[in-house]
């Protein structure tokens, strides 16, 4: 039960309170670039959610087994070559290049697969895939997971990493869809000349970010409510 | 003796190279297994198209039109910006014959400026034709140009301008992408085939009877039917003459038909004639400022 409450808290934090776009300001380029029409925005959001989940799965696996300070694979090799027990091998310097490499090649693979077997799906969101391959929102999720794997006492499991990724992707979808809805309405408005285009879009994004600050503390409230419900 | 540093470097190098070899193998294999055959015709057609992605052909972009042509679902003559040379290139790729094609350009079927048409209520709403058209009562003529410039904003090629509240097409810039035709809420813009440099058009869209037209407009067509006499080119559709461009002869002289018009709603559009140019030759024109792309260095001398 504790685990599920914990997962709900992680999901709420990633999707609403610490929304990737509106709290950390990562993934701004697709947020501004593809938010002109609602259907495109939803497609982009789905693509980001998919890629972020794939990236989280891969980065958690690589970090857990290879890149974190207490990773089993380097320790095993160290023992194999006869190293002393008190020295440790730390490969975390490789994390950035490893994430980018693994995410880029796996997304490339998925894109080819989609193109061959699901042409209609490829047509509707395949164009977004190469765009978001090494998007900062994706790398941010990977680094967030890496951060949670540094402390050996509170290691994140795969389920927690995936929850963060999926919820983060949903949060991105919510933000970009709301933005697209606003911008569609904006087409009918008399925007002053200097604000037209990216200017008013950034102003709107700022106001939306302030509105999303209203969710702060909601995770604690939901957690308390769920705990009191259970006990 | 192996130290932690050496083994870290070795392990880092080994794991990354191993990973890249594995990924290269998988991607290379996938590239072969998941290979999608693209019709070489589609590629050739795509290269022959202008690539403006204007959507004038009715497809989303040049790529989709190329696919439709390659699958024989679309004729080769639809590309407005590409014109006759593009149609010929596509016809050669597809191995079909193509008749003479003419570039389609926008024609505005209204000739009334602010002075010539009756305004009714004052309008303070959204300054777009679409909004003003919904509200109604903005101007007397319910058929003609509203003058708020939806077409100007829709044009990506700077080919349409508002002059005294009337849209005018600049035919040296128009590529026939139909953006203005689609956006005009009153449907007064249509695409006509430019069979010669200058084309005769009916510059009025008012379908009412003569008296009602005169009440709201000084230049509108009153439906006198004089232009439709003694020729097959012009037919009357209710109170409004319609030119049948299929019968339009590129080298015929339509000056007399234009001279027959008792109002000023039948005239030529397109390139100005030498006579027109001579008429304005001694008028003073503002110097046109051309962009100078030779240098980005600003060598302005500031004084004072």
């Amino acid at each position: 039960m504790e685990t599920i409450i914990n997962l709900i808290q992680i999901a709420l934090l990633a999707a609403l309170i610490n929304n990737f776009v509106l709290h950390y300001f990562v993934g701004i380029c697709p947020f501004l670039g593809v938010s002109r029409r609602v259907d495109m925005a939803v497609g982009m959001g789905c693509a980001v959610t998919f890629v972020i989940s794939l990236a989280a799965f891969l980065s958690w696996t690589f970090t857990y087994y290879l890149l974190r300070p207490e990773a089993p694979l380097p320790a095993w090799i160290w023992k194999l070559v006869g190293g002393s027990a008190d020295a440790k091998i730390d490969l975390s310097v490789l994390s950035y290049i490893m994430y980018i490499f693994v995410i880029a090649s796996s997304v490339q693979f998925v894109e080819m697969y989609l193109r061959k077997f699901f042409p209609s799906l490829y047509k509707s969101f395949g164009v977004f895939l190469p765009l978001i391959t090494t998007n900062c929102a994706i790398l941010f999720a990977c680094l967030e997971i890496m951060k949670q794997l540094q402390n050996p006492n509170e290691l994140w499991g795969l389920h927690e990493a995936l929850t963060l990724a999926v919820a983060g992707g949903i949060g991105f979808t919510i933000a970009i869809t709301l933005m697209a809805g606003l911008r569609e309405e904006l087409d009918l408005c008399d925007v002053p000349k200097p604000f037209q285009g990216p200017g008013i879009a950034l102003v709107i994004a700022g106001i939306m970010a302030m509105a999303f600050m209203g969710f702060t503390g909601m995770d604690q409230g939901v957690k308390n409510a769920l705990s009191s419900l259970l006990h | 003796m192996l130290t932690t540093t050496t083994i870290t470097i070795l392990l880092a190098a080994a794991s990354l190279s191993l990973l890249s070899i594995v990924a290269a193998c998988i991607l290379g294999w996938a590239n072969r297994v998941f290979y999608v055959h693209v019709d070489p015709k589609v590629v050739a057609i795509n290269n022959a198209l202008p690539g403006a992605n204007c959507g004038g052909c009715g497809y989303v972009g040049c790529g989709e039109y190329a696919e439709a042509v390659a699958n024989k679902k679309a004729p080769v003559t639809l590309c407005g910006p590409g014109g006759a040379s593009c149609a010929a290139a596509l016809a050669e790729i597809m191995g079909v014959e193509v008749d003479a094609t003419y570039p389609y350009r926008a024609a505005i079927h209204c000739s009334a400026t602010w002075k010539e048409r009756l305004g009714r209520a004052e309008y303070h709403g959204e300054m777009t034709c679409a909004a003003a058209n919904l509200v109604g009562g903005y101007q007397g003529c319910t058929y003609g140009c509203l003058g708020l410039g939806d077409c100007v904003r829709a044009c990506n090629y700077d080919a349409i301008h508002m002059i005294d509240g009337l849209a005018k097409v600049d035919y040296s810039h128009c590529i026939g992408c139909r953006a203005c035709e689609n956006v005009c809420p009153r449907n007064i813009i249509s695409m006509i085939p430019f069979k010669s440099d200058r084309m005769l058009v009916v510059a009025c869209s008012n379908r009412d009877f003569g008296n009602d037209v005169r009440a709201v407009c000084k230049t509108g067509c009153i439906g006198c039917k004089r232009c439709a006499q003694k020729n097959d080119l012009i037919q009357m559709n209710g109170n409004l003459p319609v030119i049948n461009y299929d019968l339009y002869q590129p080298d015929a002289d339509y000056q007399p038909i234009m001279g027959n018009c008792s109002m000023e709603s039948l005239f030529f559009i397109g390139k100005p004639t030498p006579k027109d140019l001579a008429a304005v030759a001694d008028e003073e024109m503002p110097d046109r400022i051309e962009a100078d792309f030779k240098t980005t260095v600003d060598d302005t001398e500031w004084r004072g």
Side-chain angles (χ1 to χ4, degrees):
Chain A
M1 269 304 118
E2 281 299 310
T3 334
I4 291 175
I5 292 175
N6 192 21
L7 287 184
I8 290 173
Q9 194 186 3
I10 290 175
L12 274 178
L13 272 169
L16 295 176
I17 300 153
N18 296 345
N19 189 296
F20 283 15
V21 179
L22 298 173
H23 184 263
Y24 288 115
F25 300 110
V26 290
I28 293 288
C29 19
F31 180 68
L32 291 180
V34 201
S35 60
R36 288 199 173 275
R37 280 180 17 227
V38 168
D39 49 344
M40 292 282 274
V42 172
M44 186 73 192
C46 293
V48 165
T49 311
F50 172 74
V51 175
I52 236 174
S53 317
L54 189 72
F57 171 71
L58 289 167
S59 67
W60 184 87
T61 316
F62 275 89
T63 317
Y64 191 85
Y65 292 107
L66 192 65
L67 299 177
R68 73 192 166 98
E70 272 82 26
L73 209 61
W76 181 70
I77 290 173
W78 180 234
K79 223 163 94 186
L80 209 67
V81 298
S84 60
D86 51 337
K88 274 185 189 127
I89 309 277
D90 186 3
L91 284 181
S92 39
V93 283
L94 284 183
S95 46
Y96 279 77
I97 192 163
M98 196 74 109
Y99 295 154
I100 292 172
F101 177 79
V102 166
I103 297 163
S105 43
S106 59
V107 170
Q108 188 72 40
F109 183 82
V110 170
E111 196 199 338
M112 283 191 225
Y113 182 81
L114 275 184
R115 197 171 171 200
K116 176 79 180 174
F117 294 109
F118 304 98
S120 57
L121 193 64
Y122 176 78
K123 255 194 180 163
S124 57
F125 91 35
V127 286
F128 301 126
L129 282 179
L131 278 179
I132 50 181
T133 311
T134 44
N135 185 283
C136 43
I138 316 284
L139 191 63
F140 174 79
C142 294
L143 293 177
E144 194 76 346
I145 290 163
M146 184 186 92
K147 205 170 81 190
Q148 300 292 342
L149 287 172
Q150 296 299 314
N151 184 356
N153 299 324
E154 303 171 357
L155 278 187
W156 266 21
L158 184 57
H159 53 293
E160 281 159 322
L162 281 179
T163 309
L164 173 92
V166 173
I170 291 171
F172 180 86
T173 313
I174 292 172
I176 196 172
T177 311
L178 289 178
M179 184 71 176
L182 284 173
R183 282 181 85 172
E184 270 186 5
E185 294 292 316
L186 209 63
D187 281 347
L188 303 170
C189 293
D190 189 15
V191 181
K193 259 254 154 74
F195 284 116
Q196 276 173 13
I200 193 79
L202 282 169
V203 170
I204 289 176
I207 295 170
M208 268 173 74
M210 281 199 277
F212 266 65
M213 280 170 78
F215 288 119
T216 313
M218 192 173 121
D219 62 321
Q220 214 56 45
V222 169
K223 193 183 175 185
N224 292 343
L226 284 175
S227 311
S228 63
L229 211 67
L230 287 169
H231 300 302
Chain B
M1 182 58 208
L2 284 169
T3 60
T4 343
T5 325
T6 349
I7 198 84
T8 307
I9 293 170
L10 280 177
L11 208 55
S15 54
L16 263 187
S17 8
L18 193 73
L19 205 65
S20 48
I21 291 168
V22 169
C25 288
I26 293 178
L27 286 182
W29 170 78
N31 200 16
R32 189 164 295 179
V33 173
F34 298 152
Y35 176 73
V36 180
H37 178 74
V38 181
D39 193 347
K41 268 184 192 167
V42 175
V43 181
I45 292 171
N46 228 337
N47 290 338
L49 288 170
N53 289 322
C54 66
C57 52
Y59 292 87
V60 172
C62 291
E64 222 160 89
Y65 175 55
E67 233 164 73
V69 172
N71 295 333
K72 299 194 173 122
K73 281 181 191 153
V76 295
T77 51
L78 288 186
C79 185
S85 62
C86 176
L90 295 199
E92 203 188 331
I93 294 165
M94 292 300 293
V96 294
E97 294 286 314
V98 60
D99 302 332
T101 60
Y102 301 104
Y104 277 74
R105 298 290 181 256
I108 309 235
H109 298 288
C110 181
S111 60
T113 57
W114 290 132
K115 268 182 272 171
E116 283 146 351
R117 59 182 189 241
L118 174 74
R120 279 238 164 94
E122 216 169 307
Y123 178 70
H124 288 295
E126 280 301 320
M127 280 302 165
T128 64
C129 302
N133 190 39
L134 280 178
V135 176
Y138 168 43
Q139 75 179 25
C141 178
T142 53
Y143 299 92
C145 184
L146 285 159
L148 296 176
D150 279 12
C151 47
V152 177
R153 284 185 287 275
C155 183
N156 283 332
Y157 301 91
D158 193 27
I160 196 160
H161 301 281
M162 280 294 159
I163 295 166
D164 296 334
L166 176 66
K168 288 268 184 207
V169 181
D170 177 353
Y171 290 98
S172 59
H173 287 155
C174 180
I175 64 159
C177 71
R178 292 170 190 265
C180 51
E181 184 191 17
N182 294 334
V183 83
C184 181
R186 298 203 148 174
N187 297 322
I188 60 165
I189 305 178
S190 74
M191 292 291 153
I192 62 168
F194 263 63
K195 295 188 172 182
S196 59
D197 283 349
R198 296 170 58 69
M199 294 291 294
L200 191 68
V201 292
V202 179
C204 182
S205 303
N206 199 317
R207 295 174 191 282
D208 293 340
F209 285 101
N211 262 347
D212 300 327
V213 178
R214 293 192 93 140
V216 294
C217 183
K218 286 181 189 160
T219 64
C221 171
I222 52 170
C224 68
K225 302 185 176 67
R226 269 168 69 182
C227 54
Q229 283 163 4
K230 291 178 200 160
N231 65 63
D232 301 330
L233 182 72
I234 299 179
Q235 301 283 321
M236 292 304 288
N237 177 13
N239 291 312
L240 202 62
V242 175
I243 297 179
N244 184 351
Y245 286 103
D246 290 342
L247 301 176
Y248 199 94
Q249 302 295 326
D251 37 13
D253 182 21
Y254 291 118
Q255 206 71 38
I257 297 182
M258 191 186 101
N260 263 346
C261 184
S262 51
M263 303 302 285
E264 285 166 18
S265 52
L266 197 61
F267 53 66
F268 283 99
I269 56 167
K271 275 190 188 160
T273 57
K275 213 172 106 191
D276 295 338
L277 287 176
V280 293
D282 49 344
E283 275 182 32
E284 228 172 84
M285 294 283 282
D287 283 339
R288 208 183 154 130
I289 299 166
E290 297 286 348
D292 178 14
F293 295 113
K294 275 178 293 191
T295 174
T296 56
V297 179
D298 182 10
D299 51 4
T300 317
E301 278 179 42
W302 299 99
R303 291 202 179 93

